[in-house]
Amino acid sequence: MTTITDTSKSSYLFSLTIRLADSALIASQRMSQWCGIAPTLEEDIALTNVALDLLGQARHLFSYAVDLDGCRKDEDQLAFLRDPHQYLNYTIAELPNGDFAQSCTKSFLFSTFSQCLWVSLLDGEDSTLRDIAAKSLKETDYHIEHFSRWFVRLGDGTDVSRQKILKSIDYLWPYTAEFFGNDRTLSNLEGLLHINTGKLQADWVNAIEDVFTEAGIDLPSDSDFMSTGKYGVHSEHLGHILAEMQYLQRSYPGGRW
Amino acid sequence: MNTLTKYDILKLLEEIPDPELPIVSIVDLAMVRDIDVNDQSITVSITPTYSGCPATELIFQEVENVIRNAVGPEIKVTVNKVLFPPWTTRWLTASARTKLTTSGVAAPCDNKVETKIPISKRRTPHLNAVKCPRCETTNTTELSRFGTTSCKALYRCDNCLETFEYMKDL
């Protein structure tokens, strides 16, 4: 493992690991809200499978965060006993599911971004993040395939399904600026991870462009709005998710299965 | 002092079934990546199949229990989780593939998924490749990419019309 002597570097690495862990965890929690109410039984199973993969990825990341933090808190304490401002997930992960089209668009945008991020972490010098990336990448490929298919099917489908996809893009697209904008955590880790957000953005646009074309939808233009979840400043939706997700640990601290 | 050899440990681990696919063992599934044995300690490295597979923790516990019961309380037993290289269905042993097929689960065919084809033109990634475990035809259709567990997809045989599970490529 890479030794980090500079404490500020190490705190940036911890922040990034928590950001990735929180994004996977919150995306998983949101996705799992489809359990039992998805449009078809097969889709119900698919969405919960994806939620489970994301939860597993979150656990790899939390367990690394515990090591980086010198084991001061365990995985469960990190996941269940922090307050909203201590969560560093990308805002898009916490946004409400909305209708099925909105969930598909969100998961399509988020999983393609995750794929680009995992790929770029493979070239970094942090071996633990590299291993987690290599593992998660294969699962993420399945998620992308699933949500791209829905995006094309609904976007290029009936008038109603197309309208729903267009509406979901209007709502979600502005939140994608946060993937790349103003990232002091990544820029401080450039020596270790070699991630350039400009290149990351180009890779992502390249990944989604063809699917947009196939769905017959124009790629939206850049948005001036920039959400700030990755710095702990969230939308009003995160608190509600945490209230539900953390209820058990807050009411019965230290409770275990 | 520990008297078990690497081989003895492997034999013990061969008895541990995958909780969700009990027909195959964790050795069949190639989840056991390394066994390190010396006088005082035994370390086993296990790689999870899917990140979120709920059986993983149970398997880790089982590995520890089985070895602990065999060596007694004095020896240090450690079970490590390794993520790299990531688990792949290509590592499945021939015996695992046979056992899967016999139990009605089609074994992975490890075809490279063609990602250059546009989404709307793709049918299933393994068109004419997944064999029905009952009648062995490849005239099969994918019903759902995500099945009852992370590692399986749902297929239908278009000859005998039975549905079956397929252990999907990873």
Side-chain angles (χ1 to χ4, degrees):
Chain A
M1 199 169 79
T2 318
T3 321
I4 295 149
T5 41
D6 182 348
T7 42
S8 72
K9 272 267 150 55
S10 139
S11 86
Y12 284 118
L13 188 58
F14 177 74
S15 297
L16 178 69
T17 307
I18 285 288
R19 181 204 295 182
L20 300 176
D22 287 345
S23 299
L25 177 69
I26 298 300
S28 168
Q29 178 74 14
R30 263 295 178 233
M31 185 81 78
S32 69
Q33 291 175 336
W34 275 109
C35 183
I37 57 164
T40 64
L41 181 59
E42 287 79 3
E43 199 51 40
D44 209 288
I45 293 169
L47 297 177
T48 42
N49 261 293
V50 173
L52 198 58
D53 283 343
L54 289 168
L55 185 64
Q57 295 166 8
R59 290 200 60 186
H60 298 323
L61 291 156
F62 277 124
S63 125
Y64 184 39
V66 169
D67 292 346
L68 288 172
D69 191 38
C71 299
R72 285 186 298 172
K73 287 180 174 169
D74 67 21
E75 257 183 69
D76 279 353
Q77 288 171 318
L78 284 177
F80 296 118
L81 298 176
R82 281 177 301 143
D83 289 328
H85 69 278
Q86 294 167 307
Y87 273 75
L88 303 180
N89 58 281
Y90 295 104
T91 309
I92 197 168
E94 74 210 31
L95 297 179
N97 282 335
D99 58 19
F100 183 64
Q102 185 173 312
S103 283
C104 287
T105 303
K106 180 167 69 171
S107 301
F108 164 61
L109 297 173
F110 180 70
S111 58
T112 42
F113 169 68
S114 301
Q115 185 190 46
C116 295
L117 201 53
W118 295 134
V119 168
S120 61
L121 283 168
L122 293 179
D123 295 328
E125 283 160 48
D126 185 277
S127 60
T128 311
L129 283 183
R130 201 171 56 204
D131 293 356
I132 296 174
K135 177 85 196 146
S136 308
L137 201 49
K138 299 168 81 173
E139 295 157 358
T140 307
D141 286 347
Y142 272 109
H143 307 170
I144 292 177
E145 170 92 12
H146 187 73
F147 296 113
S148 313
R149 276 169 181 250
W150 273 119
F151 188 80
V152 171
R153 197 158 155 192
L154 298 172
D156 189 27
T158 65
D159 287 344
V160 174
S161 71
R162 184 178 173 78
Q163 280 314 313
K164 287 185 188 234
I165 286 286
L166 290 173
K167 206 174 136 206
S168 72
I169 296 169
D170 280 348
Y171 175 55
L172 294 164
W173 185 260
Y175 292 95
T176 60
E178 187 186 345
F179 293 156
F180 315 103
N182 190 21
D183 201 327
R184 54 180 182 270
T185 306
L186 278 183
S187 49
N188 275 291
L189 288 168
E190 203 160 353
L192 181 73
L193 303 175
H194 318 303
I195 296 180
N196 172 315
T197 47
K199 183 181 177 298
L200 194 62
Q201 183 163 22
D203 289 347
W204 180 68
V205 169
N206 190 34
I208 61 170
E209 222 168 17
D210 289 349
V211 183
F212 268 80
T213 310
E214 251 192 277
I217 294 167
D218 294 333
L219 213 54
S221 50
D222 288 350
S223 130
D224 291 331
F225 170 73
M226 179 81 74
S227 50
T228 49
K230 65 185 174 189
Y231 294 120
V233 182
H234 291 276
S235 72
E236 69 273 30
H237 306 294
L238 183 66
H240 293 273
I241 278 209
L242 295 186
E244 190 176 87
M245 193 180 84
Q246 298 184 333
Y247 167 77
L248 202 74
Q249 277 301 319
R250 297 284 191 188
S251 301
Y252 303 94
R256 304 189 69 85
W257 287 113
Chain B
M1 202 176 84
N2 170 41
T3 53
L4 293 183
T5 64
K6 225 179 198 184
Y7 185 72
D8 297 332
I9 309 269
L10 188 65
K11 285 281 145 202
L12 289 172
L13 300 181
E14 276 174 1
E15 299 301 313
I16 302 179
D18 178 305
E20 286 175 345
L21 273 173
I23 189 85
V24 286
S25 78
I26 60 170
V27 175
D28 288 326
L29 286 175
M31 293 176 74
V32 180
R33 301 313 296 161
D34 196 24
I35 301 172
D36 191 48
V37 176
N38 62 40
D39 290 351
Q40 304 305 322
S41 69
I42 296 170
T43 307
V44 179
S45 299
I46 304 278
T47 192
T49 53
Y50 281 74
S51 295
C53 179
T56 311
E57 275 179 41
L58 192 67
I59 290 171
F60 277 59
Q61 197 55 55
E62 269 300 292
V63 170
E64 196 177 328
N65 293 347
V66 163
I67 299 175
R68 169 69 64 217
N69 289 340
V71 292
E74 288 85 29
I75 308 297
K76 187 170 188 283
V77 177
T78 316
V79 185
N80 273 340
K81 177 171 90 174
V82 292
L83 294 181
F84 194 87
W87 183 81
T88 163
T89 40
R90 282 185 215 109
W91 292 342
L92 289 195
T93 61
S95 108
R97 286 165 199 271
T98 317
K99 285 182 194 170
L100 284 171
T101 314
T102 328
S103 70
V105 178
C109 50
D110 299 320
N111 276 12
K112 185 106 187 78
V113 175
E114 183 50 77
T115 49
K116 291 280 166 269
I117 303 173
I119 304 277
S120 47
K121 302 275 184 306
R122 281 182 224 170
R123 286 191 53 207
T124 107
H126 312 301
L127 191 63
N128 300 327
V130 174
K131 255 191 199 171
C132 168
R134 286 181 186 80
C135 64
E136 297 200 335
T137 174
T138 49
N139 183 18
T140 58
T141 309
E142 181 188 70
L143 296 179
S144 176
R145 182 80 41 93
F146 296 88
T148 51
T149 66
S150 307
C151 57
K152 286 178 283 183
L154 194 63
Y155 271 71
R156 181 187 58 222
C157 173
D158 293 324
N159 275 16
C160 70
L161 300 179
E162 289 285 343
T163 53
F164 63 92
E165 290 186 303
Y166 166 63
M167 189 172 193
K168 62 191 184 195
D169 299 24
L170 190 73

